[in-house]
Each structure stands twice: as C-alpha cells, then as structure tokens.
Amino acid sequence: MGHPISVRLDEDTQLTLEDAARERGVGLSTYLREVAATEAKRLRRERIRAQSRTVGAYVEACAEAREFYSDWGIPSGEGS
C-alpha cells in the first residue's frame, strides 16, 4: 500500500478535476490515483525508450558492440 500525500489545488483546478471524476463515476481521490498511475507508467516507458536509444547509439558507434550484437540479428518487430 502506498503512502498518503496531500496536494493543495486552486479552486478552479479542483472543480475541474471533480467534474472529470464525477463523469467517470469515481471520487476525486480515485481519479487522481488513476491519473498519477497512468502518468507514472508513461514516464517509465519514456525512460526505457530513452535508455534503448542510448544503447542503440552506442552499438552503432562502437565496432565491438556491433560485433557482439551481430550474432543476434536485427529485430523485425514481427510477433511483438
């Protein structure tokens, strides 16, 4: 179980978020947890993609790394 946090919102922001939560049929706390969880997943994927680009750039620039990966072939993206 996570730890509780406290967030201070201006009135307009709170009303907007409460409306969005009501439209989904959930309370504000539940809605904010869903929004936060979705954003955390997006940030993790973004970080993984950035790390993958870094590895790809390294492999492209380093002959020894290219040789290491040459036996594995080039991913086609099929079946993923």
Side-chain angles (χ1 to χ4, degrees):
M1 183 82 188
H3 300 284
I5 61 170
S6 177
V7 183
R8 190 174 309 275
L9 301 171
D10 62 70
E11 186 175 350
D12 185 51
T13 301
Q14 183 170 345
L15 290 173
T16 300
L17 292 171
E18 286 174 346
D19 287 344
R22 198 173 305 109
E23 288 175 9
R24 295 184 100 170
V26 297
L28 181 57
S29 293
T30 299
Y31 179 72
L32 291 175
R33 273 193 303 275
E34 290 172 359
V35 168
T38 299
E39 180 65 4
K41 288 176 191 176
R42 186 192 68 77
L43 290 169
R44 281 191 294 269
R45 285 191 302 265
E46 184 178 292
R47 189 174 339 149
I48 291 167
R49 287 185 185 115
Q51 292 168 344
S52 295
R53 285 190 296 273
T54 299
V55 170
Y58 174 76
V59 170
E60 185 177 334
C62 177
E64 186 176 346
R66 282 194 309 273
E67 183 179 334
F68 175 81
Y69 282 103
S70 68
D71 291 338
W72 291 4
I74 299 172
S76 66
E78 294 177 13
S80 46

